[in-house]
Amino acid sequence: ITWSFDPSSFQYLDAFGAKLNIYHAVDVHKSRFEKAIVKYADIIFATSEKILERYNKTDKLKFKINHGLAENFLSFDKNIDGFIKNKNRLKVGYVGNLHYKYLDENTLKDIITRNPLVDFYFIGPYEESNIKIRKNNENFVEFLKILPNVILIGVVASEDLNGYLKHFDTFLMCYSGDKNISEMANPHKILEFLSTGKVIVSHYIDEYKNYTDIICMSKNNNNLGKLFKKVVSNLDYYNNDIKKYNRLKFAKKNTYKRQLNKIEKIMTSIGLKFE
């Protein structure tokens, strides 16, 4: 089997001589690369309906497979708490690259400044590293550095991330999901947040539009700040035992092992087998 997640690097899948070529799209890529790799793919998987829609004109087999959750996120035996600034204050977790081009920095700035009694913890790249990435939002990052209720943690190892997430009271996502719907249709980190059982306040995420019981979304980012205030003012309700259970239940249904089982069933249904 040749299984590709990246159409930009290599498109001619037939070169490997495999019996089965899979293109698995977890992000929106440039259409010219995707058209090329789809030509040589026998089957297409994608993590959202919005991404699958991009291949409507092809007659290749297409299936939606959600992101997978690593098993270590369901085991909270790690306890990393030295980063907590004030245990008595409400703690909001934000995970992601602060130089991401779809970051809605104006809305995020407004939320932080309007909630001075809430501490915002940022996990992810925000400074120069050995990985050369385009640095967007530099002024915003400098602004965050001077705020007393912002803690910039930086990059953490994926195997340690669950040791950080367990300490947050809620999670915040603030990308331009109301404008870039396809690109923001299904962020991977949602499953990692859900594995904690804690409430998520987020921009619009198309794949979760029917799951308002496990995630709090604003269809328009202009209302995201108001929604955030509502949630943090009623955390006992949004983090009650029933809601935590439903979030964790959803996360457990989407482990990598379960997703591979789904893929194997699809293969069997169309007459293909893993050997």
Side-chain angles (χ1 to χ4, degrees), residues 152-188:
L152 297 174
I153 297 172
V155 178
V156 304
S158 59
E159 61 268 24
D160 294 332
L161 184 56
N162 64 332
Y164 287 84
L165 298 186
K166 64 187 294 183
H167 293 287
F168 300 131
D169 301 297
T170 182
F171 298 96
L172 175 62
M173 296 200 49
C174 192
Y175 298 145
S176 54
D178 55 344
K179 299 180 180 66
N180 303 99
I181 296 176
S182 295
E183 289 81 358
M184 300 292 102
N186 192 5
H188 189 189

Side-chain angles (χ1 to χ4, degrees), residues 1-250:
I1 296 173
T2 299
W3 199 329
S4 176
F5 295 83
D6 177 17
S8 303
S9 300
F10 197 89
Q11 297 85 41
Y12 181 48
L13 300 180
D14 280 356
F16 298 99
K19 293 182 179 179
L20 177 67
N21 293 328
I22 300 172
Y23 171 46
H24 198 144
V26 298
D27 292 300
V28 173
H29 297 278
K30 291 182 179 179
S31 58
R32 65 188 181 94
F33 291 138
E34 288 188 317
K35 287 178 181 178
I37 198 168
V38 164
K39 178 180 178 181
Y40 298 103
D42 300 304
I43 191 169
I44 300 169
F45 296 128
T47 53
S48 74
E49 294 292 348
K50 289 296 182 184
I51 293 179
L52 275 184
E53 288 173 5
R54 295 168 62 84
Y55 318 120
N56 281 343
K57 293 182 179 180
T58 179
D59 58 356
K60 300 296 178 71
L61 293 169
K62 302 177 285 291
F63 301 92
K64 186 181 77 173
I65 300 291
N66 194 13
H67 287 292
L69 177 71
E71 293 287 346
N72 66 293
F73 282 95
L74 298 175
S75 174
F76 284 89
D77 51 346
K78 283 195 175 184
N79 185 32
I80 302 172
D81 63 356
F83 68 97
I84 297 297
K85 183 178 179 181
N86 190 331
K87 293 184 178 181
N88 296 320
R89 282 163 62 96
L90 193 150
K91 297 170 285 295
V92 176
Y94 185 101
V95 180
N97 183 359
L98 285 174
H99 297 295
Y100 190 41
K101 64 180 180 179
Y102 294 116
L103 183 73
D104 186 347
E105 59 178 289
N106 291 327
T107 300
L108 187 52
K109 181 186 295 186
D110 184 66
I111 291 174
I112 295 171
T113 54
R114 287 179 180 271
N115 294 276
L117 300 181
V118 175
D119 285 339
F120 294 82
Y121 292 80
F122 287 83
I123 296 176
Y126 67 92
E127 291 187 319
E128 289 284 0
S129 71
N130 60 317
I131 301 175
K132 296 299 180 182
I133 56 174
R134 182 177 178 182
K135 293 186 69 176
N136 301 298
N137 318 315
E138 289 188 68
N139 291 335
F140 176 64
V141 172
E142 293 304 313
F143 170 76
L144 291 180
K145 290 179 180 179
I146 65 174
L147 293 180
N149 63 329
V150 168
I151 299 90
L152 297 174
I153 297 172
V155 178
V156 304
S158 59
E159 61 268 24
D160 294 332
L161 184 56
N162 64 332
Y164 287 84
L165 298 186
K166 64 187 294 183
H167 293 287
F168 300 131
D169 301 297
T170 182
F171 298 96
L172 175 62
M173 296 200 49
C174 192
Y175 298 145
S176 54
D178 55 344
K179 299 180 180 66
N180 303 99
I181 296 176
S182 295
E183 289 81 358
M184 300 292 102
N186 192 5
H188 189 189
K189 69 192 75 174
I190 291 292
L191 287 176
E192 297 168 352
F193 295 163
L194 290 173
S195 72
T196 69
K198 307 291 182 61
V199 62
I200 306 164
V201 181
S202 176
H203 58 264
Y204 178 73
I205 301 174
D206 192 72
E207 280 298 310
Y208 288 87
K209 61 188 175 186
N210 296 322
Y211 292 95
T212 54
D213 57 325
I214 63 172
I215 181 170
C216 296
M217 289 190 299
S218 176
K219 290 185 178 180
N220 190 308
N221 278 20
N222 290 333
N223 299 319
L224 187 56
K226 186 183 295 184
L227 176 62
F228 178 83
K229 178 71 76 172
K230 177 183 177 182
V231 171
V232 298
S233 299
N234 297 276
L235 271 182
D236 287 343
Y237 168 74
Y238 286 102
N239 279 340
N240 66 46
D241 290 342
I242 294 176
K243 290 184 178 295
K244 283 184 176 181
Y245 172 80
N246 288 335
R247 293 176 190 126
L248 182 56
K249 182 180 178 181
F250 185 91

